Amino acid sequence: MKKVITAIVALVIFALMAWGYVQNATHEGHGETKVNPKETIFEHLGDTYGWEVPFSHTKKIPLPIIVFAKGGGLHCFMSSRVTGGDTWQDGDATFKIPHEGDYKGKLVQVLDDGTEYRPWDFSITKNVLGILIAAALVVLMVMGLRKWYKREGMKGPKGFKGMLELVVDFVYTDTIKPIMGKEAPKYGPYLLTAFFFILTMNLLGLIVIFPGGANLTGNLAVTMVLALITFAVTNLTGTKHYWKDIFWPDVPIALKCPVPMMPLIEFLGILTKPLALMVRLFANMLGGHMVVIVLILLIMVFAQMFGTAVGAGTAVLSVLLSLFMLVLDTLISFIQAFVFTLLSTIFISMAHIHEEPKPVTE
């Protein structure tokens, strides 16, 4: 009974928080504004120069901006200087973040003639900081487990370290080792790092408050870099037999000369593997985030269409469905990290197939 009451209270609190967010997001000052679902969705899923404060549509935690201006010169300042459409004069250069146009949401330099120029931007954006936080968490988890075994020997850890050891054993012993065989110790560190790094980024994206909330694996640039690392490991360490099967596969000669049809297909297969890794992870994680945002936006849409009372009633149902999707997204976070690691293991193992010795004939 107590658990039921606790769940009901938590649901009411979540609904009130969601409704408070809606009220804050749909009003600016004393004037009411229309909510643009498309703009709201892409604003949340995109990269920004500040970290949003929960349940506040306007307040953000400022982040460092680092740019090389046109004409030379490194400029460093906090993003709070240029938020809200403000222009900031830093030395001899002027910067702002436009709210429309080709450079919408990106820092630009305003030249003397009034034109906008996109400088070299090395700012610590929301996604950049999120990646650094995820990497730091992975290092802390791994080093904590290493420290335990160094101190306690083969005694199994408990609690969080025990769960971490269970996941490591499952990914390495039951997945990487059976596929890679004797080369598992060589490539296991990279594959385990990729698994925990992706899993940490996925889970951080489900957390509303700082340091979570960054849509990292739902960013195509992030998944592209991860896929390119697997692509580099696969092809830079491939055996001679692997490259022979690509450029001179064991097929009838008519399929290789004079038109290299099969070599061309095999070569295209090299490029489609990282593409599959990149798009699969990106699409699944982006879709999960988008569904949750759409469910919350239903509160705003119904409030604008039918009034405040209907919007408040919709908040309960939207929060229920959002909580269900968050639980489902937690499972998907594990699955997608595992699938990326599994496919990377298979691709790398395919590049290390050695040519079988020919049978000795008498």
Side-chain angles (χ1 to χ4, degrees), residues 44 133 179 182 200 213 226 231 253 278 330:
H44 176 80
I133 292 173
I179 297 175
K182 63 181 181 179
T200 304
L226 292 171
F231 173 78
I253 195 67
M278 175 183 69
T330 303

Side-chain angles (χ1 to χ4, degrees), residues 171-172 175-176 179-180 187-188 190-199 230 277 334-348:
V171 175
Y172 181 76
T175 304
I176 299 175
I179 297 175
M180 295 296 301
Y187 296 97
Y190 161 67
L191 294 169
L192 283 170
T193 302
F195 172 81
F196 282 105
F197 186 50
I198 294 173
L199 177 60
T230 294
L277 288 175
F334 281 90
I335 293 175
Q336 290 306 314
F338 177 75
V339 169
F340 187 96
T341 306
L342 176 63
L343 292 177
S344 296
T345 305
I346 294 173
F347 295 158
I348 294 173

Side-chain angles (χ1 to χ4, degrees), residues 197-215:
F197 186 50
I198 294 173
L199 177 60
T200 304
M201 289 192 294
N202 290 347
L203 294 177
L204 283 177
L206 302 178
I207 303 174
V208 179
I209 60 175
F210 182 86
N215 181 37

